[in-house]
Amino acid sequence: MQFGEENLWKATLANRFEGSVAPHNDIFDVIVIGGGFTGLSAALHIALSGKTVCVLEAKTIGHGGSGRNVGYVNAGLWTPPDEVEEILGKEVGIRLNAELANGPETVFDLIEKHQIQCDAVRQATLHCSETQHGLKQLQSRYDQQIARGAPVRLLDRKETCEKIGSERFVGALWDPRAGTIHPLAYAQGLARAAHQAGAVILEHAPAQSVRRENGRWSVNLPSGSVSAEKLIQATNAYGIEGARKNEFIPVYYFQFATEPLSDTHRRRILAGGEGCWDCATVMSSFRLDGEGRLLIGAVGNLNGFGGRIHKAWAKRKMASLFPELAGVDFAYSWCGRIAFTSDHLPRVVYLGENAISIFGYSGRGISPGTVFGKCAADWVMEGSQDAFPIPIANSHHEPFIATKSLYYEFGAVATHFISNRVVGF
């Protein structure tokens, strides 16, 4: 049985951006490959700077991970800030932590400035724990965030249960900088704003080959070619043919969504509008969308061998969290691919002279993607790797990619299978 074609975000998109299907002009200052958060943020900021820019999207705007996202606008990365600084070194780590801590501000400022209609709700997120072990992890994250001046709070069991409307949790880390959006509508809004600023946005324009000729980058398309002085590859987990492939661990994340809940349920379940995720080894998430649908998601591939197991888990998980929803059917199901790196940190890699690739958000695409897209625009203008909060590397090698990808999927299937066998988890 195949899942993943009834994408809630695609089904509820109110105002689709229509890109061009053929290039208006074949010569630009910058070519951006990939119409997701990173590429569109880059294109918008490049166009606002006065440079000519062309975005090449193989499918439609937001077709990849940007349109399959959970929709959390979070501050920072999955990797705790102390660990970020340990991996990257103090100076670089401090800069990356600081810039991504302000990531939600960048996103919500763009939404307001360009009047992007994407159900933006800045009502915080909750990183929740069902166990005392998980609560210790949250305490550590809280201490690290407080040391950096973050306005976070560690909630006790009572306040956590009141906010979520569930008795399952012993505590949560509350972050008021964060919020939720309709991710596909946000991507489409970025495309519309970039187009209005002068960017050329091409849909159904797969890059068939990329080469350097006479000091410029040339990209062949099914209907011609485009060239530019600089090239930004922003495909993240959705690679392209005919170009250097990003090295990352492909990890899948699925989601299910109900029809809108009743007013009675909405007054009790996540009444404040927070987005939530847990501390489990195989992470899961849950939130409401703008019309009150409940979304349940977790690591796993719906279209793989464990699809039925993942769906059964989602039904039981929903009933475990919110017993009043036992028996409620899902109306939507979809799945997306995430570009993991071993240390869960993003990468910027040179593809050649005046060409870079940006990838590896490891499940934190919206804020970091928007920030790194803006940094890419600064790189175009300044020509310096200091435009990014991390150094631009000459290469990135990710060992044992297939083995690690299978490890994540087998782990998710096994965890969900075992959970399905345990009454009430």
Side-chain angles (χ1 to χ4, degrees), residues 51-389:
K51 295 279 190 180
T52 59
V53 57
C54 178
V55 176
L56 306 178
E57 168 52 50
K59 302 289 187 179
T60 56
I61 294 301
H63 172 81
S66 297
R68 303 164 193 270
N69 199 279
V70 179
Y72 291 170
V73 185
N74 276 313
L77 297 163
W78 291 121
T79 307
D82 280 0
E83 192 174 334
V84 170
E85 293 174 16
E86 181 179 341
I87 294 169
L88 296 177
K90 201 72 172 177
E91 183 177 350
V92 175
I94 287 174
R95 182 181 173 191
L96 180 62
N97 282 329
E99 292 205 21
L100 295 187
N102 291 326
E105 198 71 37
T106 301
V107 172
F108 288 111
D109 282 352
L110 285 175
I111 290 171
E112 182 177 0
K113 178 179 179 180
H114 298 284
Q115 292 298 290
I116 299 174
Q117 303 302 310
C118 59
D119 294 335
V121 177
R122 200 170 187 182
Q123 285 291 91
T125 54
L126 294 169
H127 190 176
C128 314
S129 177
E130 297 185 37
T131 68
Q132 291 299 319
H133 176 71
L135 194 58
K136 290 180 180 178
Q137 296 179 30
L138 294 183
Q139 179 69 58
S140 175
R141 286 179 178 269
Y142 169 80
D143 292 339
Q144 293 177 47
Q145 294 287 5
I146 287 295
R148 291 164 175 82
V152 297
R153 288 175 53 214
L154 193 60
L155 309 184
D156 62 16
R157 182 187 187 103
K158 181 175 183 294
E159 191 170 4
T160 299
C161 293
E162 288 174 350
K163 284 187 175 293
I164 295 174
S166 172
E167 301 297 320
R168 297 287 305 185
F169 300 99
V170 298
L173 184 62
W174 178 83
D175 190 342
R177 299 169 296 179
T180 61
I181 59 173
H182 186 303
L184 181 56
Y186 174 58
Q188 296 260 321
L190 287 177
R192 187 172 292 106
H195 174 72
Q196 291 170 351
V200 173
I201 313 288
L202 302 184
E203 294 185 305
H204 305 290
Q208 296 180 321
S209 68
V210 179
R211 65 188 184 279
R212 183 126 173 110
E213 293 181 334
N214 301 319
R216 297 179 64 82
W217 288 95
S218 179
V219 181
N220 280 341
L221 306 171
S223 58
S225 65
V226 292
S227 70
E229 178 186 350
K230 294 191 175 183
L231 175 74
I232 299 168
Q233 184 174 312
T235 53
N236 198 32
Y238 290 77
I240 60 175
E241 298 296 330
R244 183 165 136 192
K245 293 183 178 179
N246 297 329
E247 290 205 22
F248 60 85
I249 306 159
V251 175
Y252 292 84
Y253 199 91
F254 67 81
Q255 294 182 78
F256 288 91
T258 68
E259 292 290 9
L261 302 181
S262 68
D263 290 343
T264 299
H265 288 151
R266 290 175 68 177
R267 282 194 292 269
R268 167 174 156 73
I269 296 172
L270 294 171
E274 297 90 349
C276 305
W277 73 97
D278 62 25
C279 291
T281 302
V282 178
M283 193 208 80
S284 62
S285 60
F286 54 99
R287 59 162 291 195
L288 297 179
D289 77 345
E291 296 181 359
R293 299 177 183 87
L294 181 67
L295 285 67
I296 299 282
V299 173
N301 186 358
L302 286 187
N303 295 319
F305 59 90
R308 291 181 181 275
I309 292 171
H310 295 321
K311 183 176 182 181
W313 171 88
K315 292 279 288 186
R316 291 182 61 83
K317 182 69 173 181
M318 180 170 66
S320 172
L321 292 174
F322 309 109
E324 62 267 48
L325 299 184
V328 171
D329 289 329
F330 292 123
Y332 305 90
S333 60
W334 67 103
C335 190
R337 189 163 61 244
I338 299 170
F340 265 40
T341 58
S342 293
D343 56 16
H344 297 171
L345 300 183
R347 297 293 192 275
V348 184
V349 177
Y350 281 119
L351 300 176
E353 185 178 358
N354 288 330
I356 56 173
S357 181
I358 308 168
F359 62 96
Y361 300 122
S362 300
R364 282 284 178 100
I366 296 177
S367 289
T370 302
V371 169
F372 272 60
K374 186 174 184 294
C375 291
D378 293 338
W379 169 79
V380 165
M381 301 302 295
E382 301 167 6
S384 169
Q385 76 165 16
D386 291 337
F388 290 93

